[in-house]
Amino acid sequence: MSLKMREFTFEATDGYVLSACHFQAQKPIGMIIVASAAGVPQAFYRRFAEYGALQNFDVVTFDYRGIGKSAPACLKGFAADFCDWAQKDLAALVATLSQQSLPLYYVGHSFGGHALGLINNHHHLRAACLFGLGAGWHGWMPMLEQCRVQLLWHLVAPVLTRYQGYLGWSALAMGEDLPLGVYQQWKRWCRFPNYFFDDKQYPEMKQRFAKVTTPIKAVNAVDDKWASPSSRDAFIQHYQGAPLIIQDIKARDLGISEVGHLGYFRMKSSGLWPDILTYFSEHG
């Protein structure tokens, strides 16, 4: 079966130009937006997007501002934070794609699971599958990972950001470099067991998430050190108005050695992908 992919650009709500890719099915029955994890470029989701297109779903991936093909030549002095990624970038893409006739679905990875509740136009989405959703607090992590994350937030990252003016994530082999505002918000919110829901500077968060009525399926691997099932449960309770399906997976059930935080969208975990499309088809 032939597969077409076209790159395109679209404008965020403030006019910032963002890069995206449209993987086109021959006879599409729906369209899926893929919202990335923090610091993960859209190219990482290409194999899943190709799979979706071959199964009759158009799939659109994109890069948030400051990431991948949506990044400026230098991140030093570049202003962007998590709220911009959701409320300016993702919200604009949802608004653009909601104008076409196909049912619109959503796949969110890590931060992509947060972004769903941060936008105001989630009502355009028929259903959402969220992977690696978590509250971010180090206390939900295994002890060794807790130590590693504390070292990152309080020693390594401050040095990198002071020297570079942004978080040089790539130097740590942990993903794309991150704008300073993203790092600052992330570090702040990871201080709280319930992430930004515990932050008194953002009292609107609980009300925002309570407004989401899109059906959600949340999948977490038990070996996901950054987003364990316990971490997910601390966060997802705030999607209180959405019909929820919670699923924990084990690597051995997929016939692989590990899933981790990024493995959901690697080819070795492709056994997860049919369930995503089945779930969406049930909400067609």
Side-chain angles (χ1 to χ4, degrees):
M1 185 181 294
S2 61
L3 176 65
K4 294 182 180 179
M5 187 276 284
R6 70 176 182 92
E7 296 186 34
F8 69 99
T9 59
F10 67 98
E11 289 189 358
T13 58
D14 62 350
Y16 189 90
V17 178
L18 298 158
S19 173
C21 292
H22 180 190
F23 296 80
Q24 299 170 290
Q26 285 191 338
K27 296 181 179 180
I29 59 174
M31 177 174 283
I32 300 170
I33 294 174
V34 178
S36 308
V40 180
Q42 62 177 315
F44 180 74
Y45 304 93
R46 181 185 181 103
R47 295 303 182 194
F48 168 75
E50 291 173 340
Y51 170 81
L54 291 172
Q55 301 300 318
N56 297 319
F57 283 85
D58 278 7
V59 183
V60 174
T61 62
F62 74 104
D63 285 321
Y64 308 113
R65 66 186 63 201
I67 299 296
K69 293 185 177 180
S70 297
C74 179
L75 280 179
K76 188 173 184 178
F78 182 76
D81 60 21
F82 278 137
C83 294
D84 293 331
W85 282 3
Q87 295 163 1
K88 295 178 181 178
D89 301 351
L90 174 61
L93 183 60
V94 172
T96 297
L97 298 182
S98 66
Q99 298 176 28
Q100 48 82 48
S101 60
L102 293 171
L104 192 58
Y105 303 102
Y106 184 84
V107 168
H109 182 202
S110 193
F111 168 72
H114 301 167
L116 174 63
L118 292 172
I119 61 175
N120 291 327
N121 54 355
H122 42 70
H123 58 277
H124 290 302
L125 303 168
R126 297 283 187 93
C129 277
L130 310 181
F131 291 85
L133 174 67
W137 181 52
H138 66 274
W140 300 119
M141 301 176 182
M143 184 59 67
L144 183 59
E145 196 68 14
Q146 288 187 38
C147 297
R148 183 168 171 262
V149 167
Q150 291 288 74
L151 180 66
L152 171 67
W153 284 144
H154 300 295
L155 180 60
V156 178
V159 171
L160 287 176
T161 53
R162 189 177 302 116
Y163 172 72
Q164 297 174 319
Y166 57 90
L167 181 57
W169 213 233
S170 61
L172 305 176
M174 297 183 71
E176 295 264 317
D177 295 337
L178 297 177
L180 182 62
V182 170
Y183 156 69
Q184 290 172 332
Q185 271 189 334
W186 200 358
K187 179 181 177 182
R188 176 180 175 81
W189 289 338
C190 284
R191 293 164 45 200
F192 303 109
N194 290 287
Y195 206 57
F196 46 53
F197 298 110
D198 289 345
D199 191 345
K200 293 182 180 180
Q201 289 188 11
Y202 295 83
E204 76 282 4
M205 288 300 189
K206 291 182 180 179
Q207 186 177 7
R208 271 188 175 277
F209 278 71
K211 291 179 179 178
V212 177
T213 58
T214 303
I216 294 172
K217 182 175 185 178
V219 181
N220 287 64
V222 297
D223 69 346
D224 187 336
K225 296 176 182 178
W226 278 56
S228 66
S230 297
S231 180
R232 175 206 53 218
D233 294 345
F235 190 98
I236 205 167
Q237 63 180 314
H238 297 285
Y239 279 118
Q240 58 185 280
L244 297 175
I245 295 176
I246 307 301
Q247 182 180 4
D248 298 341
I249 59 171
K250 297 179 180 178
R252 67 171 179 265
D253 293 336
L254 298 172
I256 58 178
S257 59
E258 65 174 339
V259 177
H261 193 55
L262 295 177
Y264 307 98
F265 296 96
R266 291 190 168 120
M267 279 300 297
K268 65 181 182 180
S269 298
S270 60
L272 293 170
W273 302 349
D275 287 344
I276 300 174
L277 304 188
T278 298
Y279 179 70
F280 289 160
S281 296
E282 292 170 352
H283 293 85

